[in-house]
Amino acid sequence: QAPISRLPSPFPLFAGMILMRPLAVLTLAGLCAMPTAAAPATAQTASPAATQRADIETLQRLYNERFVATPFAGLYQIDRPIPYSPRETAPILVTRDGEYSFNNGKLGAQHGDTGAPLSGSEWGALVLRWRDQIRYSDLIQQGGNGPLRMLLLSAYDCPFSKKLEAALAAAGTRYAIIPSTIGTANKPFLPDIWCSPDRAATWRRAIGTGALPPRASRSCRYDRRYFETLSGMFGGSKPTALFADGTIVASPSPAFVKQKLATLSRQGIAF
């Protein structure tokens, strides 16, 4: 894997994303230098496009890389494919000012300044920054019409996913599937599932028997970049559950899911 390094530091991004947060320092310096008698300036809100440009310029000063915006505000992607496996590539996602990263679908979420992994609660809280930007109706819904309390990154060709989802179906569990796009051979067929008339039933057939629907038409509005980014935020490479309280668990057991959802139900917590 080619190293990604911050200028002028030789430290590789993969080994530990060594970042600085210059904007916070500049802001503090500006406050210290502000005359006490000056009239307050009128605040002006930057447009989303201007904010994106400023964020990308900051990241490109920190790294010898090109960055592009993702469908999630304040989250940016390094603009080149990063090798992950012979079957697939995955994005490296970096938050505004390089505070956190989702590293190539392999290492999960990390602190930007040290490269240290985030705890499960920190990782879940980070993903929930964008809870209002997740298009829940575009996910593959399973298990009825009750309150949605769990999102599940899953792959229909993953043995663990098959076992877990069979247990969830038997229990009538309500959840929404984020199809994994990283490190899996199923990615080329995800538009066919998503664009099918009943994507929930089509997913159940695919994960239960391997049967796939006809190829999607060219007019299908499957949003590849959206699902690749969301998959990367969830770690991408193994079944991962995010619960509505911010708990995130990789490869959860059916028993854990049942207990956790019961607790959230008693607490009235849902997406």
Side-chain angles (χ1 to χ4, degrees), residues 57-267:
E57 288 172 2
T58 297
L59 291 172
Q60 291 182 166
R61 284 195 298 268
L62 289 171
Y63 297 98
N64 186 24
E65 295 289 344
R66 290 173 53 85
F67 284 83
V68 295
T70 72
F72 296 86
L75 186 64
Y76 299 89
Q77 177 180 331
I78 291 178
D79 191 22
R80 65 179 172 92
I82 308 298
Y84 175 75
S85 78
R87 295 189 296 179
E88 193 48 79
T89 60
I92 287 183
L93 306 170
V94 184
T95 61
R96 178 179 292 132
D97 304 329
E99 186 181 12
Y100 301 104
S101 76
F102 301 95
N103 199 331
N104 196 26
K106 291 189 70 173
L107 304 179
Q110 298 174 277
H111 289 281
D113 52 355
T114 65
L118 270 63
S119 68
S121 60
E122 291 172 326
W123 183 1
L126 178 58
V127 175
L128 288 185
R129 284 188 180 185
W130 296 281
R131 71 184 302 156
D132 293 336
Q133 298 176 48
I134 296 174
R135 305 198 300 255
Y136 298 97
S137 62
D138 280 354
L139 306 182
I140 300 174
Q141 309 288 328
Q142 299 287 8
N145 298 314
L148 179 62
R149 308 186 196 277
M150 182 180 77
L151 308 182
L152 179 66
L153 181 80
S154 186
Y156 69 77
D157 58 349
C158 168
F160 186 93
S161 290
K162 289 176 181 289
K163 182 178 179 180
L164 173 61
E165 289 206 49
L168 297 178
T173 305
R174 167 89 165 97
Y175 63 104
I177 296 165
I178 299 168
S180 177
T181 66
I182 297 173
T184 174
N186 75 22
K187 180 179 176 180
F189 306 102
L190 294 179
D192 308 332
I193 294 174
W194 193 88
C195 295
S196 63
D198 185 344
R199 64 180 70 133
T202 302
W203 179 271
R204 288 194 297 270
R205 284 193 296 273
I207 200 168
T209 68
L212 294 173
R215 300 311 304 264
S217 70
R218 291 179 179 269
S219 62
C220 172
R221 65 176 186 90
Y222 176 80
D223 191 339
R224 178 185 60 82
R225 287 203 65 220
Y226 172 81
F227 283 109
E228 287 180 353
T229 303
L230 192 56
S231 183
M233 291 162 65
F234 274 65
S237 60
K238 62 179 64 176
T240 301
L242 174 67
F243 298 91
D245 65 349
T247 302
I248 194 165
V249 180
S251 303
S253 69
F256 177 87
V257 170
K258 180 180 180 180
Q259 181 181 34
K260 183 65 177 178
L261 291 178
T263 299
L264 295 178
S265 178
R266 289 193 299 272
Q267 296 171 341

